[in-house]
């Protein structure tokens, strides 16, 4: 089963997503709290996952899960990022 990230972007154009990501990055730089709804955190994390920016994706997931701890999509994004990161940096041996 493959998680289709692009499905969530169909209601947003690139300018909207980039503007939201810029707001998120500005919030991180200024250390101010900016409200994002659950879907917006999901879109931000998926933007970074698609861009291969795992650290930023994990920040977005963590911050989103602080406000929305039962968000299945954020949990799936976080798990996807963590397994990809582990898979890239740690060899695993299965018996």
């Amino acid at each position: 089963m493959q998680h289709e990230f692009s499905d969530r972007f169909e209601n947003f154009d690139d300018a909207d997503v980039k503007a939201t990501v810029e707001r998120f990055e500005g919030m991180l730089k200024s250390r101010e709290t900016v409200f994002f709804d659950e879907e917006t955190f999901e879109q931000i994390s998926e933007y970074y996952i698609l861009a291969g920016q795992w650290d930023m994706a994990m920040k977005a997931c963590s911050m989103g899960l602080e406000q929305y701890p039962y968000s299945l999509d954020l949990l799936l994004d976080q798990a996807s990022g963590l397994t990809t990161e582990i898979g890239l940096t740690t060899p695993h041996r299965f018996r």
Side-chain angles (χ1 to χ4, degrees):
M1 184 164 93
Q2 183 179 358
H3 187 72
E4 294 292 331
F5 294 116
S6 59
D7 289 348
R8 295 227 198 96
F9 288 114
E10 63 189 34
N11 294 330
F12 288 81
D13 62 29
D14 283 340
D16 287 338
V17 173
K18 288 180 182 179
T20 301
V21 168
E22 287 174 5
R23 254 181 78 210
F24 177 75
E25 291 175 355
M27 178 190 70
L28 293 176
K29 287 179 185 173
S30 69
R31 298 178 188 227
E32 292 180 10
T33 303
V34 176
F35 176 79
F36 293 107
D37 63 20
E38 181 180 358
E39 185 175 314
T40 303
F41 273 117
E42 293 166 11
Q43 291 166 346
I44 294 167
S45 69
E46 290 171 3
Y47 172 87
Y48 287 121
I49 288 171
L50 290 172
Q53 296 178 4
W54 306 109
D55 290 341
M56 293 297 286
M58 293 301 97
K59 283 182 187 179
C61 287
S62 294
M63 293 177 79
L65 286 167
E66 285 177 18
Q67 293 181 26
Y68 308 101
Y70 301 107
S71 170
L72 182 57
D73 288 323
L74 285 172
L75 288 168
L76 288 172
D77 288 350
Q78 187 177 50
S80 173
L82 290 172
T83 56
T84 301
E85 188 176 316
I86 290 169
L88 292 173
T89 60
T90 306
H92 288 43
R93 206 180 268 178
F94 297 99
R95 295 179 189 205

